[in-house]
Amino acid sequence: MKYFIMFGPPGAGKGTHAAPMVKKYNLKHISTGELLRSEIAAGTELGKQAAALIEKGNLVPDEVVEGMIAQTFAKYPEVNGFLLDGFPRTVQQAMDLDEMLEARDEYVTGVISLMIPDEEIKARIKGRALIEGRADDASDETIANRIKTYHAKTEPLIEVYKDKGIYHEIDGVGTIEEVQKRVFAMMDTL
Ligand code: AP5
Ligand code: MG
C-alpha cells in the first residue's frame, strides 16, 4: 500500500487536486475535513462536538480524526493506497500516523505539499464561500484563525517530513491545470 499525504494550508487546492489524483493512481481519498462535515450533516454526537470547533477555525482533537483514519484504512483493502488530505495536521498526529502504519509494516510514501501565500488563501476561500457555503468559510475572523492555526500547529510538520526525506513541495500558484501538471509530474516519480 502507498500512503500519500496531501499537505498545504487552507484553500491551497488539496481537495481540488485529490480528486484527479485518486482516479489516476487508484488511491482512496481520505479528507478528514469532509468526513467531519458528513458527521455534522448527519447530526451525530461527534458532528455536534466538531461543529463548534470547526466554525471557529480550531482543530478537533487528535483522537477524533485518528479514529476516522483508522476506520477508513480498514475499509478499503482493494486500493493501491491512500491519499490523506488534511491529515496529519499536528506533530502528534504525524507521530500517531507513523505508529499506525508501523503496526502494519507500512510507512508514509510521500508528502505532496501545495504552497500558496496567505493572501491567496483568503482570496480562494472567499471565492469558495460563494459556491459551497461551508460554515468555516463564512467569516473573516474564522478564516484568519484557520490560517493562524495552520502556521502554529501544522507548518512544523514540514521540517518533520523534510528530515525524513519524503517532503515534496509544489508551487500552488497558477491555474488549476498548471498546478495539476506539477502534481502529476511529482507523483509519477514517487
Ligand atoms: P479541511 O476541510 O481539511 O479544510 P482546510 O485544510 O482548511 O482546507 P480546505 O478544504 O479549505 O482547502 P483545500 O486545500 O482543500 O482547497 P480546495 O481544493 O477546496 O478541514 C476543515 C476543518 O476540519 C479544519 O479547520 C479543522 O477544524 C477540522 N479538521 C480537519 N482535519 C483535521 C485534523 N487532521 N485534525 C484536526 N482538525 C481537523 O480549494 C479552495 C478553493 O480554491 C476552491 O474554490 C477551488 O476551486 C479554488 N482553487 C483551487 N486551486 C486553484 C487554483 N490553482 N487557482 C484558483 N483557484 C483555485
Ligand atoms: Mg479541502
CSV table of all heavy atoms in Angstrom, one decimal, residues 33-90:
chain,number,residue,atom,x,y,z
A,33,GLY,N,-11.5,16.7,6.8
A,33,GLY,CA,-12.5,17.8,6.8
A,33,GLY,C,-13.8,17.3,6.2
A,33,GLY,O,-14.9,17.6,6.8
A,34,GLU,N,-13.8,16.6,5.1
A,34,GLU,CA,-15.0,16.1,4.5
A,34,GLU,C,-15.7,15.1,5.4
A,34,GLU,O,-16.9,15.1,5.6
A,34,GLU,CB,-14.8,15.5,3.2
A,34,GLU,CG,-14.7,16.5,2.1
A,34,GLU,CD,-14.3,15.9,0.7
A,34,GLU,OE1,-14.5,14.7,0.5
A,34,GLU,OE2,-13.7,16.7,-0.1
A,35,LEU,N,-14.9,14.2,6.1
A,35,LEU,CA,-15.5,13.2,7.0
A,35,LEU,C,-16.2,13.9,8.1
A,35,LEU,O,-17.3,13.6,8.6
A,35,LEU,CB,-14.5,12.2,7.5
A,35,LEU,CG,-13.9,11.3,6.5
A,35,LEU,CD1,-12.7,10.5,7.1
A,35,LEU,CD2,-15.0,10.3,6.0
A,36,LEU,N,-15.6,15.0,8.6
A,36,LEU,CA,-16.2,15.7,9.8
A,36,LEU,C,-17.4,16.5,9.3
A,36,LEU,O,-18.4,16.5,10.0
A,36,LEU,CB,-15.2,16.8,10.3
A,36,LEU,CG,-14.0,16.1,11.1
A,36,LEU,CD1,-12.9,17.1,11.3
A,36,LEU,CD2,-14.5,15.6,12.5
A,37,ARG,N,-17.4,17.0,8.1
A,37,ARG,CA,-18.6,17.7,7.6
A,37,ARG,C,-19.8,16.7,7.4
A,37,ARG,O,-20.9,17.1,7.6
A,37,ARG,CB,-18.3,18.5,6.3
A,37,ARG,CG,-17.5,19.8,6.6
A,37,ARG,CD,-17.3,20.7,5.3
A,37,ARG,NE,-16.4,20.1,4.4
A,37,ARG,CZ,-15.1,20.3,4.5
A,37,ARG,NH1,-14.5,20.9,5.5
A,37,ARG,NH2,-14.2,19.8,3.6
A,38,SER,N,-19.5,15.5,7.0
A,38,SER,CA,-20.6,14.5,6.9
A,38,SER,C,-21.1,14.2,8.3
A,38,SER,O,-22.3,14.0,8.4
A,38,SER,CB,-20.1,13.1,6.3
A,38,SER,OG,-19.2,13.3,5.4
A,39,GLU,N,-20.3,14.1,9.3
A,39,GLU,CA,-20.8,13.9,10.7
A,39,GLU,C,-21.7,15.0,11.1
A,39,GLU,O,-22.7,14.8,11.7
A,39,GLU,CB,-19.6,13.7,11.6
A,39,GLU,CG,-18.7,12.5,11.4
A,39,GLU,CD,-19.3,11.2,12.0
A,39,GLU,OE1,-20.2,11.3,12.8
A,39,GLU,OE2,-18.8,10.1,11.5
A,40,ILE,N,-21.3,16.2,10.7
A,40,ILE,CA,-22.1,17.4,11.1
A,40,ILE,C,-23.4,17.3,10.4
A,40,ILE,O,-24.5,17.5,11.0
A,40,ILE,CB,-21.3,18.7,10.8
A,40,ILE,CG1,-20.1,18.9,11.6
A,40,ILE,CG2,-22.3,19.9,11.0
A,40,ILE,CD1,-19.2,20.0,11.3
A,41,ALA,N,-23.4,17.0,9.1
A,41,ALA,CA,-24.6,17.0,8.3
A,41,ALA,C,-25.6,15.9,8.8
A,41,ALA,O,-26.8,16.0,8.8
A,41,ALA,CB,-24.3,16.7,6.8
A,42,ALA,N,-25.0,14.8,9.3
A,42,ALA,CA,-25.8,13.7,9.8
A,42,ALA,C,-26.3,13.9,11.3
A,42,ALA,O,-27.1,13.1,11.8
A,42,ALA,CB,-25.0,12.4,9.8
A,43,GLY,N,-25.8,15.0,11.9
A,43,GLY,CA,-26.2,15.4,13.2
A,43,GLY,C,-25.8,14.4,14.3
A,43,GLY,O,-26.4,14.3,15.3
A,44,THR,N,-24.6,13.7,14.1
A,44,THR,CA,-24.1,12.8,15.1
A,44,THR,C,-23.6,13.6,16.3
A,44,THR,O,-23.3,14.8,16.2
A,44,THR,CB,-23.0,11.9,14.5
A,44,THR,OG1,-21.9,12.7,14.2
A,44,THR,CG2,-23.5,11.1,13.3
A,45,GLU,N,-23.3,12.8,17.4
A,45,GLU,CA,-22.7,13.5,18.6
A,45,GLU,C,-21.3,14.0,18.3
A,45,GLU,O,-21.0,15.1,18.6
A,45,GLU,CB,-22.7,12.4,19.7
A,45,GLU,CG,-22.5,13.0,21.1
A,45,GLU,CD,-23.5,14.1,21.4
A,45,GLU,OE1,-24.7,14.0,21.1
A,45,GLU,OE2,-23.0,15.2,21.9
A,46,LEU,N,-20.6,13.2,17.5
A,46,LEU,CA,-19.2,13.6,17.1
A,46,LEU,C,-19.3,14.9,16.3
A,46,LEU,O,-18.6,15.8,16.5
A,46,LEU,CB,-18.6,12.5,16.3
A,46,LEU,CG,-17.1,12.6,15.9
A,46,LEU,CD1,-16.6,11.2,15.6
A,46,LEU,CD2,-16.8,13.5,14.8
A,47,GLY,N,-20.3,14.9,15.4
A,47,GLY,CA,-20.5,16.1,14.5
A,47,GLY,C,-20.8,17.3,15.3
A,47,GLY,O,-20.3,18.4,15.0
A,48,LYS,N,-21.7,17.2,16.3
A,48,LYS,CA,-22.1,18.3,17.1
A,48,LYS,C,-20.8,18.9,17.8
A,48,LYS,O,-20.6,20.1,17.9
A,48,LYS,CB,-23.1,17.9,18.1
A,48,LYS,CG,-24.5,17.8,17.5
A,48,LYS,CD,-25.5,17.4,18.6
A,48,LYS,CE,-26.8,16.9,17.8
A,48,LYS,NZ,-27.5,15.9,18.6
A,49,GLN,N,-20.0,18.0,18.4
A,49,GLN,CA,-18.8,18.5,19.1
A,49,GLN,C,-17.8,19.1,18.1
A,49,GLN,O,-17.2,20.2,18.4
A,49,GLN,CB,-18.2,17.3,19.8
A,49,GLN,CG,-18.9,16.9,21.1
A,49,GLN,CD,-18.5,15.6,21.7
A,49,GLN,OE1,-17.4,15.1,21.3
A,49,GLN,NE2,-19.3,15.1,22.5
A,50,ALA,N,-17.7,18.5,16.9
A,50,ALA,CA,-16.7,19.1,16.0
A,50,ALA,C,-17.2,20.4,15.4
A,50,ALA,O,-16.4,21.3,15.2
A,50,ALA,CB,-16.6,18.1,14.8
A,51,ALA,N,-18.5,20.6,15.2
A,51,ALA,CA,-19.0,21.8,14.6
A,51,ALA,C,-18.6,23.1,15.3
A,51,ALA,O,-18.1,24.0,14.7
A,51,ALA,CB,-20.5,21.8,14.5
A,52,ALA,N,-18.6,23.0,16.6
A,52,ALA,CA,-18.3,24.2,17.4
A,52,ALA,C,-16.8,24.6,17.2
A,52,ALA,O,-16.5,25.8,17.1
A,52,ALA,CB,-18.6,23.9,18.9
A,53,LEU,N,-16.0,23.6,17.1
A,53,LEU,CA,-14.5,23.9,16.9
A,53,LEU,C,-14.3,24.3,15.5
A,53,LEU,O,-13.6,25.3,15.2
A,53,LEU,CB,-13.7,22.6,17.2
A,53,LEU,CG,-13.8,22.1,18.7
A,53,LEU,CD1,-13.3,20.7,18.8
A,53,LEU,CD2,-12.9,23.0,19.5
A,54,ILE,N,-14.9,23.6,14.5
A,54,ILE,CA,-14.6,24.0,13.1
A,54,ILE,C,-15.1,25.4,12.8
A,54,ILE,O,-14.4,26.1,12.1
A,54,ILE,CB,-15.3,22.9,12.2
A,54,ILE,CG1,-14.6,21.5,12.4
A,54,ILE,CG2,-15.3,23.3,10.7
A,54,ILE,CD1,-15.2,20.4,11.6
A,55,GLU,N,-16.3,25.7,13.3
A,55,GLU,CA,-16.8,27.0,12.9
A,55,GLU,C,-16.0,28.2,13.5
A,55,GLU,O,-16.1,29.3,13.0
A,55,GLU,CB,-18.3,27.1,13.5
A,55,GLU,CG,-19.3,26.5,12.5
A,55,GLU,CD,-20.6,26.2,13.2
A,55,GLU,OE1,-21.0,26.9,14.1
A,55,GLU,OE2,-21.3,25.3,12.7
A,56,LYS,N,-15.2,27.9,14.4
A,56,LYS,CA,-14.2,28.9,14.9
A,56,LYS,C,-12.9,28.9,14.3
A,56,LYS,O,-12.0,29.7,14.5
A,56,LYS,CB,-14.1,28.8,16.5
A,56,LYS,CG,-15.3,29.2,17.2
A,56,LYS,CD,-15.0,29.6,18.7
A,56,LYS,CE,-16.1,30.2,19.4
A,56,LYS,NZ,-17.1,29.3,19.9
A,57,GLY,N,-12.7,27.8,13.5
A,57,GLY,CA,-11.4,27.7,12.8
A,57,GLY,C,-10.3,27.0,13.7
A,57,GLY,O,-9.2,27.0,13.4
A,58,ASN,N,-10.8,26.2,14.7
A,58,ASN,CA,-9.9,25.5,15.6
A,58,ASN,C,-9.9,24.0,15.1
A,58,ASN,O,-10.8,23.6,14.4
A,58,ASN,CB,-10.4,25.6,17.0
A,58,ASN,CG,-10.2,27.0,17.5
A,58,ASN,OD1,-9.3,27.7,17.2
A,58,ASN,ND2,-11.2,27.4,18.3
A,59,LEU,N,-8.8,23.3,15.5
A,59,LEU,CA,-8.7,21.9,15.2
A,59,LEU,C,-9.6,21.1,16.1
A,59,LEU,O,-9.8,21.5,17.3
A,59,LEU,CB,-7.3,21.4,15.3
A,59,LEU,CG,-6.2,22.1,14.4
A,59,LEU,CD1,-4.9,21.5,14.7
A,59,LEU,CD2,-6.6,21.9,12.9
A,60,VAL,N,-10.1,19.9,15.7
A,60,VAL,CA,-10.8,19.0,16.5
A,60,VAL,C,-9.7,18.1,17.2
A,60,VAL,O,-8.6,18.0,16.7
A,60,VAL,CB,-11.8,18.1,15.8
A,60,VAL,CG1,-12.8,19.0,15.0
A,60,VAL,CG2,-11.2,17.2,14.8
A,61,PRO,N,-10.0,17.4,18.3
A,61,PRO,CA,-9.0,16.6,19.0
A,61,PRO,C,-8.3,15.6,18.1
A,61,PRO,O,-9.0,14.9,17.3
A,61,PRO,CB,-9.7,16.0,20.2
A,61,PRO,CG,-10.9,16.9,20.3
A,61,PRO,CD,-11.3,17.4,19.0
A,62,ASP,N,-7.0,15.3,18.3
A,62,ASP,CA,-6.3,14.3,17.5
A,62,ASP,C,-7.0,13.0,17.5
A,62,ASP,O,-7.1,12.4,16.5
A,62,ASP,CB,-4.9,14.2,18.1
A,62,ASP,CG,-4.0,15.4,18.0
A,62,ASP,OD1,-4.3,16.2,17.1
A,62,ASP,OD2,-3.0,15.5,18.7
A,63,GLU,N,-7.5,12.5,18.7
A,63,GLU,CA,-8.0,11.2,18.7
A,63,GLU,C,-9.3,11.0,17.9
A,63,GLU,O,-9.6,9.9,17.4
A,63,GLU,CB,-8.3,10.7,20.2
A,63,GLU,CG,-9.1,11.5,21.0
A,63,GLU,CD,-8.4,12.7,21.7
A,63,GLU,OE1,-7.3,13.1,21.3
A,63,GLU,OE2,-9.0,13.2,22.7
A,64,VAL,N,-10.0,12.1,17.7
A,64,VAL,CA,-11.2,12.0,16.8
A,64,VAL,C,-10.9,11.8,15.4
A,64,VAL,O,-11.4,10.8,14.8
A,64,VAL,CB,-12.0,13.4,17.0
A,64,VAL,CG1,-13.1,13.4,15.9
A,64,VAL,CG2,-12.6,13.5,18.4
A,65,VAL,N,-9.9,12.6,14.8
A,65,VAL,CA,-9.6,12.4,13.4
A,65,VAL,C,-8.8,11.0,13.3
A,65,VAL,O,-9.0,10.3,12.3
A,65,VAL,CB,-8.7,13.5,12.8
A,65,VAL,CG1,-9.6,14.7,12.6
A,65,VAL,CG2,-7.6,13.9,13.7
A,66,GLU,N,-8.0,10.7,14.2
A,66,GLU,CA,-7.3,9.4,14.1
A,66,GLU,C,-8.2,8.2,14.1
A,66,GLU,O,-7.9,7.2,13.4
A,66,GLU,CB,-6.2,9.3,15.3
A,66,GLU,CG,-5.1,10.3,15.0
A,66,GLU,CD,-4.2,10.5,16.2
A,66,GLU,OE1,-4.3,9.7,17.2
A,66,GLU,OE2,-3.3,11.4,16.2
A,67,GLY,N,-9.3,8.3,14.8
A,67,GLY,CA,-10.3,7.2,14.8
A,67,GLY,C,-10.9,7.1,13.4
A,67,GLY,O,-11.1,6.0,12.9
A,68,MET,N,-11.2,8.2,12.8
A,68,MET,CA,-11.8,8.2,11.4
A,68,MET,C,-10.8,7.6,10.4
A,68,MET,O,-11.2,6.9,9.5
A,68,MET,CB,-12.2,9.6,11.0
A,68,MET,CG,-13.3,10.2,12.0
A,68,MET,SD,-14.0,11.7,11.3
A,68,MET,CE,-12.6,12.7,10.9
A,69,ILE,N,-9.5,8.0,10.6
A,69,ILE,CA,-8.5,7.5,9.7
A,69,ILE,C,-8.4,6.0,9.8
A,69,ILE,O,-8.4,5.2,8.8
A,69,ILE,CB,-7.1,8.1,10.0
A,69,ILE,CG1,-7.1,9.6,9.6
A,69,ILE,CG2,-6.0,7.4,9.3
A,69,ILE,CD1,-7.0,10.0,8.2
A,70,ALA,N,-8.3,5.5,11.0
A,70,ALA,CA,-8.1,4.0,11.2
A,70,ALA,C,-9.3,3.2,10.6
A,70,ALA,O,-9.1,2.2,10.0
A,70,ALA,CB,-7.9,3.7,12.7
A,71,GLN,N,-10.5,3.8,10.8
A,71,GLN,CA,-11.7,3.1,10.3
A,71,GLN,C,-11.6,3.0,8.8
A,71,GLN,O,-11.9,2.0,8.2
A,71,GLN,CB,-12.9,3.9,10.7
A,71,GLN,CG,-13.5,3.5,12.0
A,71,GLN,CD,-14.8,4.3,12.3
A,71,GLN,OE1,-15.3,5.0,11.4
A,71,GLN,NE2,-15.2,4.2,13.5
A,72,THR,N,-11.2,4.1,8.1
A,72,THR,CA,-11.2,4.1,6.7
A,72,THR,C,-10.1,3.2,6.1
A,72,THR,O,-10.3,2.5,5.1
A,72,THR,CB,-11.0,5.6,6.1
A,72,THR,OG1,-11.9,6.4,6.9
A,72,THR,CG2,-11.4,5.7,4.7
A,73,PHE,N,-8.9,3.2,6.8
A,73,PHE,CA,-7.8,2.3,6.3
A,73,PHE,C,-8.4,0.8,6.3
A,73,PHE,O,-8.1,0.1,5.3
A,73,PHE,CB,-6.6,2.3,7.3
A,73,PHE,CG,-5.7,3.4,7.1
A,73,PHE,CD1,-4.8,3.7,8.1
A,73,PHE,CD2,-5.7,4.2,6.0
A,73,PHE,CE1,-3.9,4.8,8.0
A,73,PHE,CE2,-4.8,5.3,5.9
A,73,PHE,CZ,-3.9,5.6,6.8
A,74,ALA,N,-9.1,0.5,7.3
A,74,ALA,CA,-9.6,-0.9,7.4
A,74,ALA,C,-10.6,-1.3,6.4
A,74,ALA,O,-10.8,-2.4,6.0
A,74,ALA,CB,-10.2,-1.1,8.8
A,75,LYS,N,-11.3,-0.2,5.8
A,75,LYS,CA,-12.5,-0.5,4.9
A,75,LYS,C,-12.1,-0.7,3.5
A,75,LYS,O,-12.9,-1.2,2.7
A,75,LYS,CB,-13.4,0.8,5.0
A,75,LYS,CG,-14.7,0.5,5.7
A,75,LYS,CD,-15.7,1.6,5.3
A,75,LYS,CE,-15.9,2.6,6.4
A,75,LYS,NZ,-16.7,3.7,6.0
A,76,TYR,N,-10.9,-0.3,3.0
A,76,TYR,CA,-10.6,-0.3,1.6
A,76,TYR,C,-9.3,-1.2,1.3
A,76,TYR,O,-8.3,-0.6,0.9
A,76,TYR,CB,-10.4,1.1,1.1
A,76,TYR,CG,-11.7,1.9,1.2
A,76,TYR,CD1,-11.9,2.6,2.3
A,76,TYR,CD2,-12.6,1.9,0.1
A,76,TYR,CE1,-13.1,3.3,2.4
A,76,TYR,CE2,-13.8,2.6,0.2
A,76,TYR,CZ,-14.0,3.3,1.4
A,76,TYR,OH,-15.2,4.0,1.5
A,77,PRO,N,-9.4,-2.5,1.4
A,77,PRO,CA,-8.2,-3.3,1.1
A,77,PRO,C,-7.9,-3.4,-0.3
A,77,PRO,O,-6.7,-3.8,-0.7
A,77,PRO,CB,-8.6,-4.7,1.7
A,77,PRO,CG,-10.1,-4.7,1.7
A,77,PRO,CD,-10.6,-3.3,1.8
A,78,GLU,N,-8.8,-3.0,-1.3
A,78,GLU,CA,-8.5,-3.3,-2.7
A,78,GLU,C,-7.8,-2.2,-3.4
A,78,GLU,O,-7.4,-2.3,-4.6
A,78,GLU,CB,-9.9,-3.6,-3.4
A,78,GLU,CG,-10.8,-2.4,-3.6
A,78,GLU,CD,-11.5,-1.9,-2.4
A,78,GLU,OE1,-11.3,-2.3,-1.3
A,78,GLU,OE2,-12.3,-1.0,-2.6
A,79,VAL,N,-7.6,-1.0,-2.8
A,79,VAL,CA,-6.9,0.1,-3.5
A,79,VAL,C,-5.4,0.0,-3.5
A,79,VAL,O,-4.9,-0.9,-2.7
A,79,VAL,CB,-7.3,1.5,-2.8
A,79,VAL,CG1,-8.8,1.8,-3.0
A,79,VAL,CG2,-7.0,1.5,-1.3
A,80,ASN,N,-4.7,0.8,-4.3
A,80,ASN,CA,-3.3,0.8,-4.3
A,80,ASN,C,-2.7,1.5,-3.1
A,80,ASN,O,-1.5,1.3,-2.8
A,80,ASN,CB,-2.7,1.5,-5.6
A,80,ASN,CG,-2.9,0.7,-6.8
A,80,ASN,OD1,-3.1,-0.5,-6.8
A,80,ASN,ND2,-2.8,1.4,-8.0
A,81,GLY,N,-3.6,2.4,-2.5
A,81,GLY,CA,-3.1,3.1,-1.4
A,81,GLY,C,-4.1,4.2,-1.0
A,81,GLY,O,-5.2,4.2,-1.5
A,82,PHE,N,-3.6,5.1,-0.2
A,82,PHE,CA,-4.5,6.2,0.3
A,82,PHE,C,-3.9,7.5,0.1
A,82,PHE,O,-2.7,7.7,0.1
A,82,PHE,CB,-4.7,6.0,1.8
A,82,PHE,CG,-5.4,4.7,2.2
A,82,PHE,CD1,-4.8,3.5,2.3
A,82,PHE,CD2,-6.8,4.7,2.2
A,82,PHE,CE1,-5.4,2.3,2.6
A,82,PHE,CE2,-7.5,3.5,2.5
A,82,PHE,CZ,-6.8,2.3,2.7
A,83,LEU,N,-4.8,8.5,-0.1
A,83,LEU,CA,-4.3,9.9,-0.2
A,83,LEU,C,-5.0,10.7,0.9
A,83,LEU,O,-6.2,10.9,1.0
A,83,LEU,CB,-4.8,10.5,-1.6
A,83,LEU,CG,-4.4,11.9,-1.8
A,83,LEU,CD1,-2.9,12.1,-1.8
A,83,LEU,CD2,-4.9,12.4,-3.2
A,84,LEU,N,-4.1,11.0,1.9
A,84,LEU,CA,-4.6,11.7,3.1
A,84,LEU,C,-4.7,13.2,2.9
A,84,LEU,O,-3.6,13.7,2.5
A,84,LEU,CB,-3.7,11.3,4.3
A,84,LEU,CG,-3.5,9.8,4.6
A,84,LEU,CD1,-2.6,9.6,5.7
A,84,LEU,CD2,-4.9,9.2,4.9
A,85,ASP,N,-5.8,13.8,3.0
A,85,ASP,CA,-6.0,15.2,2.7
A,85,ASP,C,-6.4,15.9,4.0
A,85,ASP,O,-7.5,15.6,4.5
A,85,ASP,CB,-7.0,15.3,1.6
A,85,ASP,CG,-7.7,16.6,1.5
A,85,ASP,OD1,-7.5,17.6,2.2
A,85,ASP,OD2,-8.6,16.7,0.5
A,86,GLY,N,-5.6,16.7,4.6
A,86,GLY,CA,-5.9,17.4,5.8
A,86,GLY,C,-5.5,16.6,7.0
A,86,GLY,O,-5.9,17.0,8.2
A,87,PHE,N,-4.8,15.6,6.9
A,87,PHE,CA,-4.3,14.8,8.0
A,87,PHE,C,-2.9,14.2,7.6
A,87,PHE,O,-2.8,13.7,6.4
A,87,PHE,CB,-5.2,13.6,8.3
A,87,PHE,CG,-4.7,12.7,9.4
A,87,PHE,CD1,-5.1,12.9,10.7
A,87,PHE,CD2,-3.9,11.6,9.1
A,87,PHE,CE1,-4.6,12.1,11.7
A,87,PHE,CE2,-3.4,10.8,10.1
A,87,PHE,CZ,-3.8,11.1,11.4
A,88,PRO,N,-1.9,14.2,8.4
A,88,PRO,CA,-1.9,14.8,9.8
A,88,PRO,C,-1.8,16.3,9.8
A,88,PRO,O,-1.3,16.9,8.8
A,88,PRO,CB,-0.6,14.2,10.4
A,88,PRO,CG,0.3,13.9,9.2
A,88,PRO,CD,-0.6,13.6,8.1
A,89,ARG,N,-2.2,16.9,10.8
A,89,ARG,CA,-2.2,18.4,11.0
A,89,ARG,C,-1.5,18.9,12.2
A,89,ARG,O,-1.5,20.1,12.5
A,89,ARG,CB,-3.7,18.8,11.1
A,89,ARG,CG,-4.2,19.8,10.1
A,89,ARG,CD,-5.7,19.8,10.3
A,89,ARG,NE,-6.2,20.9,9.6
A,89,ARG,CZ,-6.9,20.9,8.5
A,89,ARG,NH1,-7.0,19.8,7.8
A,89,ARG,NH2,-7.4,22.0,8.0
A,90,THR,N,-1.0,18.0,13.0
A,90,THR,CA,-0.2,18.3,14.2
A,90,THR,C,0.9,17.3,14.3
A,90,THR,O,0.8,16.2,13.7
A,90,THR,CB,-1.0,18.2,15.5
A,90,THR,OG1,-1.4,16.8,15.7
A,90,THR,CG2,-2.3,19.0,15.5
